[in-house]
Amino acid sequence: MILNWANGEFTDTEKVIGTLFDAGVLRRKDLMLLLGWRRSKTDSHLLKLRQKQMLLTSRDSHGQTVYMLDENGVRAAHQLCNIEGKIVTMKAQISHQLGVNDILLRYVKAHGCEGVQWYSTRESADELFSFRKIAGNTDAEIRKSYIRPDALIQTANRGIFWLEYDNATESSRQLRKKFALYVQNLSIIDEKTKGQVRRVIWVAPTIERVRWLVSRWQDVKERRQAANIAMLFYIAGQETSYMAGERDKRRQTE
């Protein structure tokens, strides 16, 4: 998990590799925040990874440089995390992944890391798989309704939230399908987990998109009888106070 690298028993190089791997893509300032480093130290280790041909760079929508692992870097991360699988670099959906990571970064800036656990897309999918297994589902049953959340966060005061960052690229059909899959997955595990993991927070860049998401969710909620599943919708930047357990009047719906 990404928040474990800073204080773990790893070399500085391993901390950068692990953090970039779990994040997928980060700006320099974000890497500095997560590791608690100064810019000079951060730049030094980024340069080392570049010289070892383990680092890729790109630009975000504001022209800022973003960093991600090249194939050699991903391979090193797999060895570090004992992962067996295909070597995949973060060359696509950079904007979306930055939006997902920004949810964590906003939370850390506002409320700190104490009591917080953050699961990447890969890790949150594994958690959901484990919950389904606990509920008694077979591998074949899980594959039929498989879904990969963007992330999962567990906070000290509020428990577990599945997270989805919507950057206005998915169609109504795609969103309704995703809503339906969440209802199916979370309804199955709800009894076994005593209602602790049935909340999904959706974060979107504009109020117009939030309202659009709410409308599509209401369609699915009515047809699927999903009263026990809580879908919560926020404009980016307004989700962290709710996750921290603070009073929040800006929430759009449940």
Side-chain angles (χ1 to χ4, degrees):
M1 292 178 287
I2 194 169
L3 296 177
N4 294 349
W5 293 103
N7 298 315
E9 296 182 358
F10 308 100
T11 67
D12 286 345
T13 298
E14 288 173 341
K15 289 179 180 181
V16 177
I17 291 172
T19 303
L20 286 176
F21 177 68
D22 281 343
V25 57
L26 283 173
R27 305 173 188 91
R28 178 198 287 113
K29 65 180 181 179
D30 302 334
L31 183 60
M32 291 168 58
L33 174 66
L34 291 171
L35 292 177
W37 289 359
R38 292 174 295 188
R39 176 164 179 169
S40 58
K41 181 176 181 179
T42 305
D43 284 347
S44 173
H45 285 283
L46 287 172
L47 177 60
K48 288 180 181 179
L49 292 185
R50 187 191 296 274
Q51 291 171 339
K52 294 179 180 179
Q53 297 184 326
M54 300 173 74
L55 195 68
L56 292 170
T57 60
S58 185
R59 298 276 181 179
D60 66 10
S61 59
H62 300 289
Q64 292 188 52
T65 302
V66 296
Y67 300 87
M68 64 207 91
L69 296 177
D70 201 345
E71 290 185 4
N72 291 332
V74 175
R75 190 171 291 108
H78 279 202
Q79 294 174 351
L80 188 60
C81 301
N82 296 315
I83 295 174
E84 295 183 4
K86 185 179 179 181
I87 302 299
V88 180
T89 60
M90 177 62 68
K91 293 181 180 179
Q93 296 187 322
I94 290 175
S95 177
H96 178 266
Q97 190 58 42
L98 286 171
V100 175
N101 294 339
D102 283 344
I103 300 172
L104 170 64
L105 294 162
R106 284 192 293 268
Y107 190 94
V108 170
K109 289 176 184 176
H111 305 289
C113 297
E114 186 175 354
V116 178
Q117 296 183 53
W118 176 270
Y119 298 78
S120 66
T121 299
R122 170 180 54 82
E123 293 166 333
S124 59
D126 288 344
E127 287 296 298
L128 184 53
F129 181 91
S130 296
F131 283 132
R132 290 284 301 271
K133 292 291 284 187
I134 291 171
N137 291 165
T138 65
D139 290 359
E141 289 171 333
I142 295 171
R143 283 194 295 270
K144 289 179 181 178
S145 57
Y146 186 70
I147 187 171
R148 288 172 62 85
D150 283 339
L152 171 66
I153 188 171
Q154 182 170 355
T155 68
N157 298 325
R158 296 285 280 160
I160 290 175
F161 301 93
W162 306 100
L163 298 173
E164 290 287 339
Y165 177 71
D166 179 273
N167 57 351
T169 59
E170 292 187 301
S171 66
S172 292
R173 181 184 62 81
Q174 290 172 313
L175 262 297
R176 288 190 179 101
K177 180 179 180 181
K178 187 174 287 188
F179 285 138
L181 285 172
Y182 265 117
V183 170
Q184 184 174 355
N185 276 266
L186 301 187
S187 295
I188 288 170
I189 66 177
D190 190 49
E191 183 178 347
K192 291 290 185 179
T193 57
K194 299 180 181 179
Q196 296 178 359
V197 293
R198 58 183 174 194
R199 296 172 296 179
V200 186
I201 289 181
W202 294 75
V203 179
T206 66
I207 185 61
E208 291 79 15
R209 185 65 178 184
V210 167
R211 289 169 178 161
W212 189 88
L213 290 170
V214 170
S215 175
R216 272 60 189 174
W217 163 237
Q218 292 300 335
D219 293 343
V220 174
K221 184 178 180 180
E222 292 171 5
R223 288 187 286 108
R224 293 273 177 168
Q225 297 180 335
N228 64 318
I229 306 302
M231 295 284 180
L232 304 111
F233 302 86
Y234 290 90
I235 304 170
Q238 295 185 354
E239 76 286 348
T240 55
S241 58
Y242 177 74
M243 293 191 298
E246 296 178 350
R247 185 176 181 180
D248 185 1
K249 295 181 180 179
R250 294 167 295 186
R251 185 176 58 198
Q252 299 302 313
T253 189
E254 286 194 12

